[in-house]
Amino acid sequence: MSVPADFNLDEPTDRRGTGSLKWDEAGPDELPMWVADMDLRTAPVVRRALTRVAREGLLGYAVVTDAYEQAVTAWWARRHDWPLQRDWLIPTTGVVAAISSIVRSVTNVFEKVLIQQPVYNIFTNSVLNNGRRLVTSDLLQGENGEWTIDWTDLEAKLADPLTTLMILCNPHNPVGRVWTRGELARLGTLAAAHHVTVVSDEVHCDVTLPGVGYTPFAAAAPVCAEVGITCLSPSKAFNTAGVHSATVVIPEPHLRARVERGLNTDEVAEPGVFAVPAVVAAYSAEGEAWLAEVRAYIAANKARVAEVVAGELPGCAAPVSQATYLSWIDVRALLCGAGAAGRNGGGADDAGPDGPANATGDATAALAAHIRSRTGLVLTPGTAYGAAGAGFLRMNLGTQRARVEDGLERLVRGARSWAATAV
């Protein structure tokens, strides 16, 4: 495929002073590689669509158009073999807003919501901030490094009558697993047997390795469609999180009516004037061509990180994951030295930029803080995603190759500095 000139992913971007969460909260010499948005400009077709809206200067109330519904349904049918029906779609302002609303609309206060840690930390917030009780069924890591579901533990916790909702991450952030059709079907069967609804966050589904597909939870088996709520958005693949557009998909009509009422009550069911054209443009043929280039670029970034970590940090590893533009770096070998667990720092940096975490006795957060203080590289300690993330660092590779090389140099330098000061 020939690459148009405006698909130059190596082109530098300067986000300082633009109101960027990632860059404007970093120091002048720091390199932020934590929060999951990209430093790559979104697809030219998306930029042109937004420019047209701005040029017209008519920024009033918007409606969801036929073109929007056609774009979403055609994309999932073509790319993911899921023939969506238009009446299944509920447009919303974002996946996080939708999940929080769903927690409120399909569960009662003090009921239990299950998540699989280590997992996106905002899931925890969506549960606890709404007065529900958090239940975790931690993922397991096998000898080959692949993360898997602890089926025995999961079924036991789904069987609790007070567990009424599960939040699934498919593909999984931060470990990068693409769950198989068989795994998803088994999960749906268990959920249905125990009267548990499953809300599946699938925002990373289009950022898989070239040649690697994914199965939508609700498409894995008929039973999954009966219990499943799927949250979709171009926000990760096309770097449009700031546009605030997502779609909730619910095949089962009674569940759909309940969720739609909740989304409207919470006033998060009306995407803005920029959201609809951005989605239509992203899910176009040109958007698809741009995405193919991005996926290959991210795969090369992941391969480079895996190579450097294996070669420069003995005992550590950064496997090339199946999905997301994130590297989940195993640094447990660095934390085995005497005295490592005692160097907590205790400062604000230890909480991790992705959200608060108790860093007391947490060597993982201490390592992340050490790397930041010595090199300026800002990573997320794995414990931000639950205790099961101890011994891992999350590194955002949705950026230019030059910044990846800079980040790797800082990572190696910071890790060696940590090792050298071990008592």
Side-chain angles (χ1 to χ4, degrees):
M1 178 186 299
S2 61
V3 182
D6 52 2
F7 281 18
N8 180 12
L9 302 177
D10 285 321
E11 179 186 7
T13 55
D14 184 0
R15 301 180 64 190
R16 294 187 187 275
T18 65
S20 163
L21 170 65
K22 179 160 62 175
W23 285 90
D24 282 5
E25 292 191 357
D29 297 319
E30 290 189 328
L31 177 61
M33 300 183 77
W34 60 284
V35 68
D37 74 355
M38 293 196 286
D39 297 321
L40 310 175
R41 288 187 174 88
T42 191
V45 65
V46 175
R47 303 204 303 268
R48 292 197 304 272
L50 298 180
T51 299
R52 281 195 297 272
V53 175
R55 187 183 299 117
E56 290 170 355
L58 302 172
L59 306 181
Y61 296 112
V63 297
V64 175
T65 63
D66 287 343
Y68 179 101
E69 294 181 346
Q70 173 60 29
V72 173
T73 56
W75 184 268
W76 259 265
R78 182 175 68 253
R79 292 184 62 86
H80 306 304
D81 195 26
W82 189 20
L84 303 178
Q85 296 180 20
R86 291 195 183 191
D87 62 357
W88 296 354
L89 311 182
I90 311 172
T92 183
T93 56
V95 168
V96 170
I99 289 175
S100 290
S101 178
I102 290 162
V103 168
R104 290 188 291 273
S105 64
V106 304
T107 70
N108 293 311
V109 174
F110 294 126
E111 287 184 343
K112 299 177 181 180
V113 180
L114 186 147
I115 64 175
Q116 296 171 294
Q117 292 182 341
V119 74
Y120 180 47
N121 51 308
I122 304 303
F123 290 174
T124 297
N125 297 352
S126 294
V127 175
L128 299 181
N129 290 347
N130 286 297
R132 276 60 173 174
R133 289 190 282 174
L134 185 71
V135 177
T136 64
S137 180
D138 293 349
L139 299 178
L140 302 175
Q141 191 178 31
E143 292 182 1
N144 63 354
E146 183 176 71
W147 292 80
T148 60
I149 294 171
D150 184 340
W151 292 105
T152 301
D153 182 69
L154 178 66
E155 182 168 13
K157 289 172 178 174
L158 290 175
D160 184 340
L162 286 178
T163 301
T164 55
L165 181 69
M166 174 178 174
I167 306 177
L168 173 69
C169 203
N170 175 43
H172 194 281
N173 167 23
V175 307
R177 263 298 311 273
V178 174
W179 302 116
T180 67
R181 183 178 295 273
E183 288 169 323
L184 296 172
R186 182 177 180 182
L187 173 56
T189 300
L190 289 175
H194 298 295
H195 309 287
V196 175
T197 301
V198 178
V199 55
S200 184
D201 176 350
E202 304 193 356
V203 295
H204 291 276
C205 68
D206 285 309
V207 194
T208 56
L209 293 178
V212 175
Y214 103 110
T215 301
F217 171 73
V223 69
C224 297
E226 294 171 8
V227 301
I229 302 169
T230 306
C231 297
L232 309 171
S233 175
S235 60
K236 296 304 179 189
F238 290 90
N239 202 27
T240 57
V243 175
H244 296 291
S245 178
T247 305
V248 176
V249 182
I250 311 176
E252 205 288 315
H254 296 90
L255 182 58
R256 182 169 66 249
R258 186 174 180 180
V259 170
E260 187 168 23
R261 180 66 268 155
L263 291 168
N264 279 279
T265 298
D266 292 335
E267 304 294 352
V268 293
E270 297 180 358
V273 68
F274 287 102
V276 170
V279 171
V280 173
Y283 293 153
S284 67
E286 185 180 335
E288 194 164 16
W290 177 87
L291 180 60
E293 297 297 325
V294 170
R295 293 170 70 202
Y297 195 82
I298 297 301
N301 282 352
K302 286 185 175 183
R304 178 60 177 158
V305 171
E307 175 188 31
V308 171
V309 169
E312 302 293 336
L313 299 177
C316 297
V320 176
S321 60
Q322 297 169 307
T324 80
Y325 47 72
L326 308 164
S327 182
W328 186 236
I329 306 174
D330 184 346
V331 292
R332 286 175 292 183
L334 290 172
L335 305 180
C336 294
R343 295 178 298 169
N344 308 311
D349 286 346
D350 289 358
D354 247 353
N358 184 355
T360 303
D362 182 0
T364 308
L367 173 60
H370 177 90
I371 292 171
R372 181 173 186 172
S373 66
R374 295 298 180 96
T375 74
L377 175 62
V378 188
L379 304 175
T380 307
T383 42
Y385 310 107
F392 294 83
L393 299 173
R394 197 187 80 164
M395 185 179 199
N396 181 351
L397 304 182
T399 193
Q400 292 80 8
R401 192 71 39 75
R403 284 197 174 118
V404 172
E405 294 294 343
D406 185 8
L408 284 170
E409 186 279 328
R410 296 179 192 228
L411 173 65
V412 171
R413 179 158 43 95
R416 287 176 175 171
S417 170
W418 166 276
T421 58
V423 178

